[in-house]
Amino acid sequence: MTRKREGEVASRSTVRDVAAMAGVSASTVSRVLGGVYPVSASTRGRVMRAVSALDYVADARARAIAGMGTPTLAFRLDDITGPSFALMAHGVEREASRLGHLCLVCGTEGDVGRELDFIETMRAQRAATVILVGGGTDTPEYRERTGRIADALAAAGSRLVLCGRPPLAPDVPVTLIEYDNESGARALCVHVLAQGHRRILFLGGEPGHTTAQGRERVRRHSLRPRGGSPARTAPRGPVADSASC
């Protein structure tokens, strides 16, 4: 390693510098830092003292390629400012931290292109898990696209997790976490109707959005036995933003 002269920035230490100072081979340094091979306590101690003395930082990209980097958990949501999404992100980040994983959160605002770019980046970086949160429209195009994503991630050693999204075929390598949309909507409708209200405005999502469909179906069914009016459904967007009841 080149020594730092006054007024000059020192060059970055390398694994060979660490090996030379510790009196071991570069491969031994890699084994110590990777933590996946047995190394004697004395050798580990010498290597770690050299790492500290040289202020050595391993290349995270190289470690990821070698399968020795910090596992990354990627969490994609529509709107990072949404209260429910923020709570999910908080829980995921806390659990990732407990496990010693790195958590990356990305808000795509419903943009499919941005979502696909994010997933591809996480696949290239060998993220351990990619979590997609938020409902969607259950179409053949959705199933085909998401199935390809799941297969590509699995081939790279990663895992796709769908939270609140339409399920895929049983043979697709994906973990599914479902929302209980109907029970939640039913409890809310029962409470509102018990207060004497008979008209409920539903501020829903885009037409065909699976999360909104279950909630709207329960609202209509809850109103019929009591003689209530279904009122109207406002889609997400300017109408929903200005609607009131």
Side-chain angles (χ1 to χ4, degrees), residues 86-181:
L87 287 173
M88 290 183 198
H90 172 69
V92 169
E93 194 282 328
R94 183 170 56 186
E95 182 64 10
S97 178
R98 186 185 71 81
L99 295 173
H101 294 184
L102 174 66
C103 182
L104 297 178
V105 179
C106 176
T108 58
E109 299 180 355
D111 188 323
V112 175
R114 286 177 59 186
E115 177 178 298
L116 293 176
D117 288 344
F118 175 68
I119 293 170
E120 183 58 28
T121 299
M122 292 300 97
R123 184 168 75 98
Q125 295 188 6
R126 289 175 166 76
T129 306
V130 176
I131 303 174
L132 306 182
V133 175
T137 303
D138 192 1
T139 63
E141 292 77 15
Y142 161 81
R143 289 176 175 271
E144 194 275 335
R145 180 181 69 247
T146 309
R148 281 191 288 103
I149 290 172
D151 288 337
L153 288 171
S158 184
R159 183 73 176 183
L160 177 65
V161 177
L162 301 179
C163 182
R165 291 205 168 189
L168 303 177
D171 61 334
V172 177
V174 64
T175 298
L176 184 66
I177 302 173
E178 296 183 292
Y179 296 161
D180 191 357
N181 288 301

Side-chain angles (χ1 to χ4, degrees), residues 18-33 37-52:
V18 175
M21 178 174 284
V24 298
S25 66
S27 59
T28 296
V29 174
S30 297
R31 293 191 184 99
V32 170
L33 298 180
Y37 296 97
V39 179
S40 69
S42 60
T43 298
R44 180 178 300 277
R46 293 203 310 275
V47 169
M48 295 312 296
R49 284 193 294 272
V51 167
S52 178

